[in-house]
Amino acid sequence: MKKCLFSSLLISLTTLSATEVLISKDSLSIETVEEKFNFTEEKTLTAIQTENYEYIDQLIQSGKINPRMKINGKPLIIHAAIHDKAEMILLLATHGAMLVEPICDEGKDIMEHAKENNAIHAQAQIIIIKA
């Protein structure tokens, strides 16, 4: 029975996405720590808006974030396009954010978001990257 519980615990640990898991020594209880991930999301969005390239690059290089990850239903590169951050779009694209056309949960692509937000610098950067 213990082996069955332990194996199901291991399977559940490997299937959890983007959350950290703490396992106490004395029991098999699992406590997810989503606050840390939410804090990372907030700091990532702030870094995009304030053009903190070193922080974003450090997060990607360390594996803490994926350049194609979504926050609030939008990929990071779309957040950069919404805020007209052309250099941030270039940084994220360099790390693979545009390997597949970035689309938000609403079905809009990156260029649609850039146009809706009159982000002309972002539009120019997207055209250059796609060329």
Side-chain angles (χ1 to χ4, degrees):
M1 181 67 174
K2 287 183 181 179
K3 287 182 181 181
C4 181
L5 287 173
F6 185 69
S7 62
S8 65
L9 173 68
L10 288 177
I11 291 170
S12 67
L13 288 177
T14 58
T15 58
L16 290 175
S17 64
T19 57
E20 293 183 20
V21 177
L22 298 176
I23 303 173
S24 67
K25 265 184 168 176
D26 302 324
S27 69
L28 293 176
S29 65
I30 298 175
E31 177 184 338
T32 59
V33 182
E34 293 184 6
E35 294 86 28
K36 186 174 181 182
F37 186 71
N38 289 336
F39 179 71
T40 303
E41 286 181 341
E42 290 174 24
K43 285 195 73 164
T44 301
L45 289 178
T46 302
I48 288 171
Q49 293 170 10
T50 60
E51 300 181 61
N52 190 344
Y53 307 111
E54 288 105 25
Y55 181 74
I56 295 294
D57 193 46
Q58 179 185 40
L59 286 177
I60 293 170
Q61 295 291 338
S62 67
K64 291 182 181 175
I65 65 168
N66 182 318
R68 292 183 299 273
M69 74 180 274
K70 290 184 177 184
I71 298 177
N72 300 330
K74 295 176 183 70
L76 294 177
I77 199 162
I78 288 181
H79 285 285
I82 289 169
H83 295 287
D84 202 19
K85 305 298 182 187
E87 293 296 321
M88 190 62 72
I89 291 170
L90 182 60
L91 174 67
L92 291 167
T94 302
H95 286 289
M98 297 241 337
L99 291 175
V100 177
E101 181 72 26
I103 298 175
C104 72
D105 289 351
E106 298 169 353
K108 296 179 185 176
D109 69 5
I110 187 169
M111 189 57 90
E112 289 177 88
H113 281 285
K115 287 178 182 177
E116 283 179 5
N117 291 282
N118 296 321
I120 58 171
H121 299 101
Q123 290 176 47
Q125 188 65 50
I126 295 163
I127 291 169
I128 291 169
I129 290 170
K130 288 185 175 184

